[in-house]
Amino acid sequence: MAPEAGLMGRLVDRAAYIFAAGIVIAAAILLMEVFLRYILNRPTIWAHETTVFLCGLAFTFGGLYCTSRNSHIRVVLLYDWLPGGVRRVFNVIISIVSAIASAFFAYAAWHMVTRAVFAPSGGIRLETTGSAWSPPTPALIKIFVFVIMILLVLQFLILAVNYARRAKG
């Protein structure tokens, strides 16, 4: 974990185990579905959508996890050539620009959430998959994306502040 990520980075690092477990559970569900479908000829109506949901949660959380570990994508061709002081200034700038971009994505995600959660009449109606099982996973994923984008803004701001402090000290 990157020390610049602070307490939030440590919390994200610990929460990652939950999403890693979700990937393992998704694999177990798929294995069970293969057995039920091809050996017992008794397929389920929920296995595919559940695994897509669990993997979608883990994938979305992965962006926040990479940010908290300071392992997000950089153009290292230029970045690695910079001297230490200039690199720290770039870290502050990159973190601020990333926070702004994440805020724009959070704004867009909020619009997805409003369409997925609220009916035109104003009541709450979660968007479903429309399948035979029809769980509300599309709405839940959109809410999760919105929350993660807000947390990404916060994490990038924490990184920017901590990089700036380190550059001064």
Side-chain angles (χ1 to χ4, degrees):
M1 202 221 42
E4 298 85 12
L7 174 63
M8 182 175 170
R10 289 190 297 277
L11 294 173
V12 167
D13 197 56
R14 291 208 175 62
Y17 290 105
I18 296 167
F19 296 96
I23 294 290
V24 173
I25 292 167
I29 291 171
L30 284 177
L31 185 61
M32 179 201 67
E33 176 66 12
V34 168
F35 176 77
L36 289 173
R37 179 178 299 268
Y38 296 108
I39 305 298
L40 302 180
N41 198 27
R42 303 286 294 173
T44 66
I45 63 170
W46 57 269
H48 176 72
E49 289 172 340
T50 302
T51 57
V52 168
F53 177 70
L54 291 172
C55 291
L57 290 177
F59 181 79
T60 304
F61 183 81
L64 180 60
Y65 179 74
C66 288
T67 301
S68 73
R69 297 183 69 82
N70 199 16
S71 60
H72 50 90
I73 298 172
R74 286 193 177 93
V75 182
V76 294
L77 180 66
L78 302 173
Y79 183 81
D80 286 349
W81 284 39
L82 298 173
V86 176
R87 190 180 293 180
R88 281 190 290 278
V89 171
F90 266 62
N91 285 338
V92 172
I93 293 168
I94 289 168
S95 296
I96 291 170
V97 169
S98 297
I100 292 168
S102 298
F104 280 117
F105 282 114
Y107 177 75
W110 172 248
H111 287 290
M112 289 189 327
V113 167
T114 58
R115 287 191 304 274
V117 172
F118 301 109
S121 64
I124 293 179
R125 174 220 22 94
L126 297 179
E127 177 184 11
T128 64
T129 61
S131 67
W133 185 39
S134 200
T137 52
L140 298 176
I141 284 283
K142 290 172 184 177
I143 292 167
F144 188 71
V145 167
F146 174 67
V147 170
I148 291 296
M149 295 315 299
I150 296 295
L151 292 175
L152 264 174
V153 171
L154 181 60
Q155 183 65 79
F156 277 123
L157 292 175
I158 290 168
L159 287 170
V161 167
N162 288 336
Y163 285 134
R165 283 183 182 160
R166 197 171 86 188
K168 290 179 186 175

